[in-house]
Amino acid sequence: MTVFSLAYTLHVLAALVWVGGMFFAWMILRPAAMAALDGPPRLKLWLNVFQRFFVWVWVAVLILPISGVGLLQLRFNGFETAPRYVQVMMGLYVVMTALFIRIQALKLPELRAAVAAEDWPAGAAALGQIRRLVGVNLLVGLVVVAVASARPMF
Ligand code: HEM
């Protein structure tokens, strides 16, 4: 395996884990939890899910730019000569990471505090905000993957 193919594999796997995890959470787990659980156990479930999933999101947040910049150097000899779709990818990476840090640093502590205090209305409000932010990030992530895959168009 060459350095290039190793970087490429890690890059795509990191994108898969992050975007695929958000897809599963939004499209499958969210409606299933709504159908199967009442408010308090649902909030506890989501707190547990986020705490576990976000460890892997941090891994993706680190691997994507490290492997991406490696690919950039190996394939395009640096930032200036990189094609438009790679620049779009980098810009949207910043958007995705900013939204993720907003959830991790602000919204998740709110959810955790509400669950600890058994303040279910506050927990539901925090979960609603996280749901919207994850929904936006999922859309941005899908756009990045589409842009990366349809690169001859960009
Ligand atoms: C600093 C951030 C990033 C940099 C510097 C970067 C850079 C790159 C580079 C140079 C390539 C190879 C392009 C080529 O061979 O033509 C690539 C491919 C790819 N990137 Fe990124 N990327 C970044 C973030 C992301 C993010 C956030 C995602 C998705 C969530 C992503 C998904 C992909 C995918 C799926 C490919 C493979 C495309 C294909 O072969 O069809 N990248 N990236």
Side-chain angles (χ1 to χ4, degrees):
M1 196 179 226
T2 61
V3 176
F4 183 82
S5 61
L6 177 66
Y8 216 116
T9 305
L10 288 175
H11 195 78
V12 174
L13 285 177
L16 180 87
V17 167
W18 191 358
V19 180
M22 290 193 293
F23 185 90
F24 176 77
W26 228 91
M27 302 299 289
I28 313 294
L29 191 55
R30 186 182 58 89
M34 290 268 281
L37 296 174
D38 291 333
R42 196 164 69 225
L43 291 171
K44 288 180 190 167
L45 169 78
W46 278 113
L47 181 59
N48 211 293
V49 166
F50 291 139
Q51 283 170 346
R52 289 165 193 274
F53 178 48
F54 287 2
V55 173
W56 290 101
V57 176
W58 277 115
V59 173
V61 162
L62 291 177
I63 284 181
L64 280 166
I66 295 169
S67 56
V69 170
L71 292 171
L72 207 74
Q73 297 298 340
L74 291 168
R75 179 146 202 181
F76 306 111
N77 299 316
F79 289 89
E80 281 92 54
T81 43
R84 173 71 54 83
Y85 68 88
V86 172
Q87 289 165 1
V88 170
M89 205 185 296
M90 287 191 284
L92 292 181
Y93 166 83
V94 173
V95 173
M96 288 179 72
T97 301
L99 287 174
F100 168 63
I101 289 175
R102 186 174 164 77
I103 300 170
Q104 167 81 77
L106 299 178
K107 298 298 154 196
L108 192 62
E110 279 177 29
L111 179 61
R112 196 180 292 121
V115 168
E118 301 196 347
D119 182 349
W120 307 123
L127 183 60
Q129 289 167 341
I130 294 174
R131 188 182 62 229
R132 273 190 295 280
L133 289 167
V134 172
V136 174
N137 235 5
L138 171 59
L139 285 175
V140 178
L142 290 172
V143 167
V144 178
V145 174
V147 166
S149 307
R151 56 194 167 201
M153 291 170 58
F154 294 90

